[in-house]
Amino acid sequence: MAQVNPSGSPARAARRRVRGPARALLAMLLTALVVGGAVPYVSGSGRPYLSYLVLAGQEDAAGAALAGAESRAAGGQVVQEYPQIGAVLAYATGGFAGTLRARPGIAAVGTTRTEPVVAPPRLLDGAGDFAAGTDRADRSSTDQARRDSDHARRSSTDSARRDSADRQDGGTVTVPDPGEGDPWNLAMLGGAGARAGDASTGIRGPAGAPTADALHKVLVAVLDSGVDDTHPDLRAAVDPKASVSCADGRPDARSGSWRPDPGVSESGHGTHVAGIVGATRDGHGVTGVAPGVRIAAVRLLGPLGQYYAENIVCGILWAADHGAKAINNSYFADPWKYNCPEDQDQAALIAAVGRASAYAQRKGAVVVASAGNDGQDLGAARTDERSPNDRVSGPARSRYLGTECIRLPGELPGVVTVTAVNRDGRPSGYSNYGRGRVSLAAPGGDPDSGPQGAVVSDWPGGQYAALAGTSMAAAHVTGVVAVAAALHPDYGSAPLAALLAGTAAAACPPGPYACGARQYFGAGLLALPR
């Protein structure tokens, strides 16, 4: 399958990173910013520190305590414990990993980055508590303040939304307020009776569709670049009690920490994803797949523009502990696009994210992930020409990978991995695929067809953008999980995933790229459960 490269299109959805000379400049700027405290690292001894995930053989609080004790004994600084999975995040210099791997009770140790920092993250009051948010004050006063702020924001952005286009966030083109019109992507979810390309003005839901009150009892988590909860479509959807930043591997539940950082490239991505999942139906903007659902906004994107493994572990554990029924992951782990188990560092990252995903599934959450936008067969040998992507200089080296190398978190056991289809119901050219490697297909859109063929959703600052990608496809699945959970509140992770698969199989359209093409569709085409 030929890959569509959306980098020159206003509808692109793939994450982009600073490269070449710009990265070298970024490195110099970061040196100054670090000393000045503008990013969450304090100036240190000048020695190069790397971050490590240290996993004990015992996957519980006792294991985490052991991993922490051994890390300190080896000269590391432990900045976060993950008692749910028997692991810690530590910063260290020198031969830390080799020393720890020889210690009894330690199952795996791996550095999560390839470029060092000058010191571990600075201390943050209140950070590190996975139970934060459960005993906060009633949200009504917070909601009223947000509504007041949103009214002012809406007034100030109305004129901008009336313009035909405005470049934001590294070149993304915003579009006028769509007024909830022509949601082709929602029409595709109507089940076997809805034809691909149907341009009805909303979901004509099946009999017995859940009410907004039923959906409000369901929490889903959007792990991404952050969510602008002041956006008019999202202000009633994002639950501040369940929202957090995990941008450095520690849960930071301070107010607003989950919002995107406009100084980081692609920071609007999470707002777009959240709108697809649960934007409010109010006659303006867009409507989400599950309007009324509560969204836990979990910011993973760090100040260096990376989704490091510790950020992912933190986010998944937070979402699971706060009762999310679905956890959306529209990204891939950095710095390795694919992680290979024969490499000791990458094996540790696979194990850590795998433990977090398994923990979430045991807690009842469906873990949803995008399949990726490289047009590659995940079930075949392939080439990775982007890793490591946290380097500050020099070209990426070409890596020739076998099928054992996996994309995190999408190729972990039990994860619902989502491919993309265009408005015509055919597989999108950019979408990764693979027989036995993908679970479902969902609307992702065409990056070169503008708002009519891409997916229009929310953008920071009360705006809207048309993007396309497996990120958008995964968000549709997360919204449908919310609908299924509202219909079946007693279902756990496995029954919900099975319901989605069965409904998708029944909704697959006829044709050469339909259910018989399992490498593109998995079980079938996503549809609302009946």
Side-chain angles (χ1 to χ4, degrees):
M1 176 184 293
Q3 179 182 357
V4 174
N5 181 2
S7 60
S9 166
R12 75 209 192 300
R15 292 192 291 115
R16 304 298 180 206
R17 294 183 174 78
V18 182
R19 295 186 176 91
R23 270 223 174 257
L25 176 61
L26 176 62
M28 291 186 288
L29 290 174
L30 285 175
T31 301
L33 290 173
V34 165
V35 176
V39 295
Y41 300 97
V42 296
S43 58
S45 62
R47 294 178 298 169
Y49 281 81
L50 291 174
S51 49
Y52 295 87
L53 284 170
V54 182
L55 286 69
Q58 196 169 330
E59 299 183 27
D60 55 18
L66 171 66
E70 292 291 356
S71 295
R72 294 182 187 95
Q77 297 185 41
V78 176
V79 300
Q80 182 63 47
E81 290 192 356
Y82 306 113
Q84 305 93 325
I85 61 170
V88 301
L89 171 64
Y91 279 71
T93 63
F96 177 77
T99 299
L100 268 189
R101 286 172 184 145
R103 299 298 300 160
I106 299 299
V109 182
T111 181
T112 67
R113 63 181 70 215
T114 66
E115 289 292 333
V117 294
V118 297
R122 61 181 171 85
L123 293 175
L124 289 174
D125 290 340
D129 181 9
F130 281 100
T134 57
D135 58 352
R136 293 185 187 175
D138 183 83
R139 67 178 288 188
S140 58
S141 60
T142 303
D143 285 348
Q144 183 59 53
R146 182 182 295 152
R147 284 192 291 271
D148 294 342
S149 172
D150 291 340
H151 177 74
R153 180 181 292 271
R154 181 184 284 274
S155 297
S156 66
T157 58
D158 274 347
S159 60
R161 290 202 303 273
R162 284 193 295 269
D163 293 339
S164 62
D166 182 27
R167 289 196 175 274
Q168 301 288 335
D169 190 26
T172 297
V173 177
T174 57
V175 300
D177 185 334
E180 295 185 350
D182 192 24
W184 68 268
N185 49 306
L186 299 189
M188 285 189 75
L189 309 184
R195 302 314 314 147
D198 180 12
S200 65
T201 56
I203 300 177
R204 306 195 184 280
T211 65
D213 287 342
L215 278 168
H216 190 68
K217 296 177 182 178
V218 177
L219 178 73
V220 299
V222 173
L223 277 57
D224 213 291
S225 61
V227 176
D228 180 7
D229 58 339
T230 70
H231 194 291
D233 280 350
L234 295 171
R235 64 178 183 263
V238 174
D239 184 350
K241 292 184 178 181
S243 298
V244 73
S245 171
C246 280
D248 62 7
R250 300 174 297 177
D252 173 10
R254 292 177 299 169
S255 180
S257 64
W258 52 83
R259 293 175 188 146
D261 180 352
V264 180
S265 179
E266 301 299 335
S267 62
H269 186 271
T271 302
H272 195 276
V273 167
I276 295 170
V277 174
T280 304
R281 186 195 303 274
D282 60 2
H284 300 281
V286 298
T287 299
V289 174
V293 70
R294 288 183 298 122
I295 295 175
V298 182
R299 180 185 165 199
L300 301 189
L301 188 64
L304 304 185
Q306 304 291 326
Y307 291 76
Y308 285 123
E310 63 264 30
N311 305 11
I312 300 169
V313 168
C314 169
I316 293 176
L317 296 179
W318 171 276
D321 283 349
H322 283 74
K325 296 300 291 184
I327 302 175
N328 192 88
N329 302 272
S330 291
Y331 58 86
F332 61 86
D334 296 311
W336 306 102
K337 190 165 204 178
Y338 298 97
N339 285 268
C340 302
E342 63 268 22
D343 179 283
Q344 287 184 300
D345 289 317
Q346 293 169 42
L349 307 188
I350 294 171
V353 179
R355 287 186 184 187
S357 175
Y359 175 83
Q361 292 174 55
R362 292 195 299 271
K363 295 277 282 188
V366 179
V367 181
V368 180
S370 55
N373 302 328
D374 299 300
Q376 292 183 331
D377 183 352
L378 299 176
R382 54 198 179 276
T383 302
D384 173 13
E385 297 181 345
R386 292 180 60 181
S387 302
N389 53 29
D390 65 343
R391 66 195 184 281
V392 296
S393 63
R397 65 175 185 260
S398 292
R399 298 197 303 158
Y400 301 96
L401 309 177
T403 58
E404 74 282 359
C405 299
I406 65 171
R407 176 184 166 97
L408 291 177
E411 293 186 81
L412 291 169
V415 173
V416 176
T417 304
V418 188
T419 63
V421 296
N422 294 335
R423 184 170 180 157
D424 62 7
R426 291 176 175 267
S428 303
Y430 56 78
S431 181
N432 288 348
Y433 58 96
R435 184 176 293 272
R437 299 295 184 106
V438 299
S439 307
L440 298 169
D446 180 353
D448 297 317
S449 60
Q452 298 305 310
V455 178
V456 176
S457 185
D458 301 320
W459 198 251
Q463 300 184 89
Y464 305 91
L467 304 181
T470 58
S471 291
M472 288 66 251
H476 286 85
V477 172
T478 294
V480 171
V481 174
V483 173
L487 291 171
H488 304 281
D490 57 328
Y491 278 20
S493 176
L496 285 171
L499 176 61
L500 259 65
T503 307
C508 235
Y513 291 99
C515 287
R518 298 293 183 186
Q519 67 270 36
Y520 301 114
F521 281 82
L525 183 64
L526 180 69
L528 287 165
R530 297 184 180 276

